[in-house]
Amino acid sequence: MTTTEKRTMLTIVTESVIENMLLADLDRLGVRGYTVTDARGRGSRGVRDANWDEAANIRIEVICTRELAEALLAHLQKHYYANYAMVSCLHEVEVVRAEKF
Amino acid sequence: MLDVVVLFFLLGLLAGLARSELKLPTALYDSLSLVLLLAIGLKGGEGLARQSLLPLLPQLAAVIALGIVLTVIAFFVLRRRFALPDAASMAAHYGSVSVATFAVGVNWLNTRGIDFEPQLPIFLAVMEVPPIIVGIVLARGLKSGIDWKKLGHEAFFGKGVVLLLGGMAIGWLAGPDGLAPVKPLFYDLFKGALAIFLLEMGLIVARQAGVLRRQGAFLIVFGIAMPLFSSLLGGACGVLLGLSAGGTMLLTALAASASYIAVPATMRLAVPAANPALSLAAVLGVTFPFNILAGIPFYYWLAERFAGVTP
């Protein structure tokens, strides 16, 4: 049987225009890996349509320790929430090869 | 009679307002804008190969100054109504230029067999970025940790500038004979590419309707009055530079146009407190349609009057 370990996944849905800035922040804060996908949906700032750059959204997923995930969330709240369309959340996940995260 | 490409824009607009399912793939929109930028660049480069480049330098300085003056004037008008970040951001949009408006202007002249100077695409390339810098300085002040290195990189290596200036370099090096094999794609298909591009622009413009309804009259009035005012300065600048009526019209259209690609993206990063929906609603919802539907024929009429006053 495969043994798994608990880690925390941070999911961020936000404007694609800040992708590079955000990923640079994640690197600086010690994240070892992330996944970025195009996203679309609807929220309090209206329909976000991935079909056009100015309104396109991305979803960034990071799997890391609970401690780091909370630090990242605090960083997002402090630097991005006021001015950018952003939703982020934490969820518990189970991983194999825990040393990667 | 409207140019046929403008009818495609109206089709997109109607489809968007009627909430049609019509949707163009992002990759197609990107590909078409690449073809349009290269075509405009190639054509300019081909023309420039026949003249010396040195006399152009003072002209470039003049059109850059034109963009900066327009940004500052727009800022003081907008500041009476909006908070500092919004006024500065929207001013940068209006100081900068729109490739799509320029392309419609080029098409308008081509359709009527009217010539214009080959350096106009260079004007387009150099007028894009300075207003962004002015807008950022207006919003944040001079010493506020602006990443000048990154902005400089954007100024010289942004997608639009690379394609325009790269196309011009290729056109200049290749000359008319060298360009002959690629002409069917870039010259003959220009109108068709522009038509589909404008169809998508119609859809994009239709999405601004909601914000316009909420923000109401001021954006609509500003979105029409600002390009009309800019067109006077642009026309005067064209006459000072000794451009033909066609060239003056294109410079006028550049002055009157407002950016909706490079500026929103950069301002979103550099001035995050500014509301991007305001600027885009004015630029896309009002100014762009105004320019391609009514502005361009009017700017040519104006350019003819201006060109008439040259000694």
Side-chain angles (χ1 to χ4, degrees), chain A residues 15-78:
Chain A
E15 304 174 30
S16 66
V17 68
I18 59 171
E19 176 175 336
N20 289 337
M21 191 159 71
L22 207 50
L23 295 182
D25 282 8
L26 295 184
D27 282 336
R28 208 183 53 239
L29 293 168
V31 166
R32 294 160 75 180
Y34 46 74
T35 305
V36 184
T37 40
D38 289 326
R40 61 178 169 273
R42 186 182 175 87
S44 61
R45 300 198 185 215
V47 175
R48 309 285 310 176
D49 188 341
N51 204 28
W52 190 49
D53 276 0
E54 294 323 315
N57 264 10
I58 48 167
R59 181 177 61 189
I60 303 177
E61 286 162 324
V62 182
I63 299 176
C64 58
T65 60
R66 177 88 202 174
E67 191 190 3
L68 180 54
E70 283 175 7
L72 295 174
L73 195 57
H75 176 83
L76 296 177
Q77 219 170 352
K78 184 168 172 213

Side-chain angles (χ1 to χ4, degrees), chain A residues 75-94:
Chain A
H75 176 83
L76 296 177
Q77 219 170 352
K78 184 168 172 213
H79 294 280
Y80 292 97
Y81 267 43
N83 291 321
Y84 295 103
M86 181 179 282
V87 170
S88 48
C89 59
L90 300 181
H91 23 167
E92 297 306 317
V93 293
E94 290 178 45

Side-chain angles (χ1 to χ4, degrees), chain B residues 183-198:
Chain B
K183 264 187 178 157
L185 174 60
F186 290 107
Y187 292 8
D188 301 349
L189 290 184
F190 183 79
K191 255 177 202 286
L194 183 60
I196 303 174
F197 180 84
L198 287 176

Side-chain angles (χ1 to χ4, degrees), chain B:
Chain B
M1 178 59 194
L2 290 172
D3 280 4
V4 65
V5 293
V6 177
L7 294 176
F8 280 84
F9 169 76
L10 291 176
L11 173 62
L13 186 62
L14 282 177
L17 290 174
R19 298 175 192 270
S20 153
E21 277 178 22
L22 178 63
K23 198 171 183 181
L24 269 69
T26 313
L28 178 63
Y29 177 78
D30 287 346
S31 313
L32 289 173
S33 61
L34 177 138
V35 169
L36 295 178
L37 284 163
L38 280 176
I40 291 168
L42 288 171
K43 185 116 192 166
E46 190 186 355
L48 281 181
R50 290 187 226 113
Q51 64 182 67
S52 86
L53 298 178
L54 215 54
L56 288 182
L57 289 178
Q59 296 198 355
L60 295 186
V63 297
I64 289 173
L66 172 65
I68 291 173
V69 168
L70 290 174
T71 310
V72 173
I73 292 172
F75 173 72
F76 283 108
V77 174
L78 291 164
R79 190 69 183 93
R80 303 169 73 89
R81 169 96 185 186
F82 293 120
L84 178 69
D86 284 328
S89 171
M90 205 190 285
H93 287 73
Y94 277 86
S96 189
V97 292
S98 145
V99 179
T101 309
F102 184 82
V104 174
V106 167
N107 182 65
W108 195 92
L109 292 174
N110 285 346
T111 306
R112 286 157 184 78
I114 302 165
D115 276 338
F116 59 91
E117 286 78 1
Q119 66 265 39
L120 263 299
I122 311 190
F123 293 180
L124 169 64
V126 301
M127 286 176 81
E128 186 173 42
V129 176
I132 301 181
I133 297 169
V134 175
I136 295 173
V137 170
L138 286 170
R140 299 179 23 175
L142 265 176
K143 40 187 175 207
S144 49
I146 299 168
D147 191 345
W148 292 109
K149 209 174 129 197
K150 203 163 152 236
L151 269 180
H153 188 266
E154 179 79 16
F156 294 106
F157 296 101
K159 174 186 155 189
V161 175
V162 166
L163 287 172
L164 268 176
L165 295 185
M168 295 195 88
I170 292 172
W172 190 76
L173 288 169
D177 294 338
L179 282 178
V182 294
K183 264 187 178 157
L185 174 60
F186 290 107
Y187 292 8
D188 301 349
L189 290 184
F190 183 79
K191 255 177 202 286
L194 183 60
I196 303 174
F197 180 84
L198 287 176
L199 179 68
E200 171 70 4
M201 286 303 302
L203 292 168
I204 292 172
V205 167
R207 282 181 225 143
Q208 307 303 319
V211 183
L212 272 184
R213 263 200 299 275
R214 284 194 295 279
Q215 293 296 333
F218 180 82
L219 286 187
I220 295 174
V221 172
F222 180 81
I224 292 175
M226 186 66 205
L228 286 175
F229 171 77
S230 305
S231 71
L232 295 177
L233 287 193
C237 187
V239 173
L240 281 179
L241 298 181
L243 299 179
S244 64
T248 302
M249 182 275 243
L250 282 180
L251 181 58
T252 305
L254 281 177
S257 73
S259 166
Y260 59 88
I261 296 177
V263 180
T266 315
M267 291 315 259
R268 193 78 193 99
L269 294 173
V271 188
N275 177 1
L278 277 183
S279 299
L280 285 176
V283 170
L284 282 168
V286 183
T287 303
F288 177 74
F290 170 75
N291 274 334
I292 67 166
L293 291 171
I296 281 172
F298 171 69
Y299 303 147
Y300 189 71
W301 180 86
L302 201 66
E304 277 188 312
R305 299 295 164 291
F306 270 117
V309 303
T310 35

